[in-house]
Amino acid sequence: MPSVPNALLQQYVKLTEFLGLALGPDYEVALHDMTDKNRSIIAIANNHVSGREIGAPLTNVALSILRDKSYETSDYRLHYYGVSVNGKELRSSTMFIKQNGRLIGMLCINFDDSRYRELGGRLMGLCHPDMFVEDVLPADGKPAVKSPAPEKFRNSTDAVAVDAIARELEQLGVGAERLTGEERLKIVAALEQGGIFLLKGAVRDVAAGLGCSQASVYRYLAQVKGDREDI
């Protein structure tokens, strides 16, 4: 386990272990140190849930929280949608650890309900004919309305960038090799808004993902920031 320089965070290391044992194997508990966004996880219990290890980076949702500073007006964020390294759907909640108003850490709990969904499906099968379950009842665990981007749990910073780029490309309906300059600018603006560029090496990873030079990404970023200042 890496050293934890902050005395307050050190107390949460044991809490992470305790909660993992108390809640059981379907609950992952992860402690993030905000001083190193690229290797932020300093303690984790039941890490089989998300597939991450100590030293994994901040997620896309955590970066977005840093970027929009929502932690300044709230102490936690509850019950949002996450996806593990292996594609498993999770219910996630995060508590913001603050010291003198400054965000120094995040304590995250990620719940894997797949065993209960399977049991629920069997019970519904006992109550209803297969046709009713398939045609009438809503699909298990699928959001009924369009939801924000799910939290993606990754073990490397380049994977965080790849996920964010893939989402933007999917929304545009075009491959990276067919992007116009205007479309690249739009994607960079969305990535900047989502906090991706808070990670070290993000410019390099985004340039590779968009099929352009790092100089081009810096130029797009300058234009995005300039347009914001003009508003």
Side-chain angles (χ1 to χ4, degrees):
M1 181 179 296
S3 60
V4 183
N6 186 285
L8 178 58
L9 280 184
Q10 184 64 56
Q11 299 177 34
Y12 282 89
V13 172
K14 273 298 178 184
L15 179 61
T16 299
E17 178 184 350
F18 168 73
L19 288 174
L21 292 170
L23 294 173
D26 296 318
Y27 289 85
E28 176 189 80
V29 186
L31 177 63
H32 292 269
D33 181 350
M34 309 310 289
T35 60
D36 189 347
K37 303 174 187 65
N38 289 58
R39 296 180 54 81
S40 66
I41 290 186
I42 57 173
I44 189 166
N46 299 327
N47 67 320
H48 58 272
V49 171
S50 75
R52 293 174 299 170
E53 305 286 346
I54 287 178
L58 287 176
T59 66
N60 57 314
V61 167
L63 288 169
S64 179
I65 289 169
L66 273 180
R67 179 66 179 77
D68 64 23
K69 300 185 185 302
S70 54
Y71 60 86
E72 293 182 349
T73 56
S74 178
D75 293 323
Y76 45 78
R77 180 173 176 182
L78 296 174
H79 308 317
Y80 56 91
Y81 178 48
V83 179
S84 73
V85 170
N86 299 320
K88 193 179 300 180
E89 296 178 343
L90 307 173
R91 173 164 56 84
S92 302
S93 297
T94 293
M95 185 177 79
F96 307 136
I97 304 171
K98 293 179 276 191
Q99 191 171 54
N100 299 323
R102 182 173 64 91
L103 184 69
I104 63 169
M106 292 184 181
L107 184 66
C108 306
I109 298 178
N110 305 301
F111 174 53
D112 172 18
D113 68 352
S114 56
R115 291 195 300 168
Y116 307 96
R117 290 189 193 183
E118 181 182 354
L119 177 60
R122 290 179 182 177
L123 289 173
M124 294 306 293
L126 292 174
C127 298
H128 303 292
D130 291 342
M131 182 184 304
F132 184 83
V133 173
E134 294 171 4
D135 295 345
V136 179
L137 298 181
D140 254 358
K142 302 298 183 183
V145 296
K146 186 177 180 181
S147 58
E151 182 168 27
K152 297 290 188 71
F153 300 96
R154 297 293 180 258
N155 277 309
S156 64
T157 56
D158 59 337
V160 175
V162 166
D163 281 337
I165 292 169
R167 176 175 171 82
E168 297 304 322
L169 289 174
E170 182 180 359
Q171 290 185 342
L172 286 175
V174 64
E177 71 283 354
R178 295 173 51 200
L179 286 171
T180 64
E182 184 178 346
E183 288 170 334
R184 285 195 181 94
L185 174 62
K186 183 176 181 181
I187 290 176
V188 168
L191 296 178
E192 196 275 337
Q193 187 65 30
I196 292 300
F197 294 103
L198 294 173
L199 295 174
K200 294 178 182 176
V203 169
R204 177 198 61 220
D205 297 332
V206 170
L210 296 183
C212 63
S213 67
Q214 293 185 44
S216 295
V217 174
Y218 279 118
R219 188 172 66 251
Y220 292 136
L221 278 172
Q223 185 172 343
V224 167
K225 293 175 181 177
D227 291 344
R228 185 182 302 134
E229 291 172 0
D230 291 338
I231 296 175

